[in-house]
Amino acid sequence: QSALTQPPSVSGSLGQSVTISCTGTSSDVGRYNSVSWYQQHPGKAPRFMIYDVNNRPSGVPDRFSGSKSGNTASLTVSGLQAEDEADYYCSSYAGSISVVFGGGTRLTVL
Amino acid sequence: QVQLVESGGGVVQPGRSLGLSCAASGFIFRTSGVHWVRQAPGKALEWVAAISYDGSTTYYADSVKGRVTISRDNSKNTVFLQMNNLSAEDTAVYYCAKQAEVGWSHLDHWGQGTLVTVSS
């Protein structure tokens, strides 16, 4: 399976909102609602942020939200805080019992 | 709290084999699926393999199928990843991750990773 497509980088100022896109195909993102998002700070393990497109695990601030339209899923971070600066990865169930990740997006907080 | 601790990484020559372990604690291990995900230096996450809660079913990425075997020992709360015929493209940090109850492809807890370097 080919990796999902994410922009290499996005940026936003403190307190503002940013949206990260994640584009797949009709065989993964477009077909299944099993889209997840992960946050990864440098040198750290990924953190589970969103599942099934728009659900937050316990402990994840409600500033993080997800959505999906067609073959593209999105993660929106509202009220940007300094600690939100990190890499973000989307993933999707890709059929045939497999998972595909996105290429990752570096979020910079200005 | 949930903990996953990987071990077994190191430097290995091309064509050789290496086995990784993932020791789990803080949850009912025998009821949870576990995945391995790798990350080459400066690159994105790549799903590698998964194993069902009882070890009866295993799943592999096409990129490693035939060279990698995932297994588990529920009596020791440990998952293993045996990698054969390694090449430079296998150089990465290897993470084990617990499968979330909300869905097979969701990974709710991750270990800190173990670095595998394939080099002569």
Side-chain angles (χ1 to χ4, degrees):
Chain A
Q1 307 85 358
S2 298
L4 307 176
T5 300
Q6 298 181 233
S9 63
V10 298
S11 62
S13 300
L14 283 169
Q16 289 191 331
S17 298
V18 294
T19 297
I20 300 170
S21 61
C22 168
T23 301
T25 69
S26 57
S27 297
D28 38 61
V29 175
R31 185 167 186 175
Y32 305 100
N33 284 329
S34 296
V35 174
S36 300
W37 288 91
Y38 301 89
Q39 176 191 66
Q40 186 180 36
H41 288 106
K44 302 295 186 182
R47 176 190 177 189
F48 186 44
M49 302 297 287
I50 294 285
Y51 68 93
D52 286 347
V53 177
N54 58 6
N55 294 280
R56 284 185 309 277
S58 61
V60 174
D62 59 6
R63 303 185 292 101
F64 292 85
S65 62
S67 63
K68 190 184 86 167
S69 177
N71 297 338
T72 298
S74 299
L75 173 72
T76 297
V77 186
S78 306
L80 275 173
Q81 299 184 4
E83 60 263 34
D84 298 333
E85 185 161 295
D87 294 328
Y88 291 84
Y89 292 92
C90 61
S91 77
S92 174
Y93 179 69
S96 301
I97 318 297
S98 65
V99 178
V100 60
F101 282 93
T105 298
R106 172 67 56 87
L107 168 59
T108 301
V109 180
L110 303 172
Chain B
Q1 71 281 20
V2 174
Q3 266 200 309
L4 298 159
V5 179
E6 303 92 339
S7 62
V11 181
V12 60
Q13 292 180 329
R16 304 296 293 266
S17 299
L18 191 68
L20 306 181
S21 298
C22 169
S25 61
F27 63 102
I28 304 175
F29 181 75
R30 66 180 183 275
T31 65
S32 293
V34 175
H35 297 234
W36 285 94
V37 176
R38 69 184 179 182
Q39 186 171 34
K43 301 297 185 181
L45 301 171
E46 179 188 13
W47 180 76
V48 174
I51 189 165
S52 61
Y53 68 98
D54 61 355
S56 64
T57 314
T58 56
Y59 315 92
Y60 299 96
D62 289 343
S63 59
V64 302
K65 201 170 293 183
R67 297 191 301 119
V68 166
T69 302
I70 188 172
S71 60
R72 65 190 293 160
D73 184 341
N74 283 352
S75 69
K76 297 181 179 178
N77 283 13
T78 302
V79 172
F80 306 96
L81 189 72
Q82 178 66 33
M83 302 184 292
N84 301 322
N85 192 23
L86 287 163
S87 71
E89 287 68 40
D90 297 312
T91 294
V93 173
Y94 285 74
Y95 296 100
C96 66
K98 172 184 166 294
Q99 184 176 303
E101 292 183 6
V102 294
W104 183 88
S105 61
H106 303 306
L107 308 176
D108 61 358
H109 291 88
W110 298 58
Q112 285 304 303
T114 187
L115 176 62
V116 173
T117 302
V118 183
S119 173
S120 55

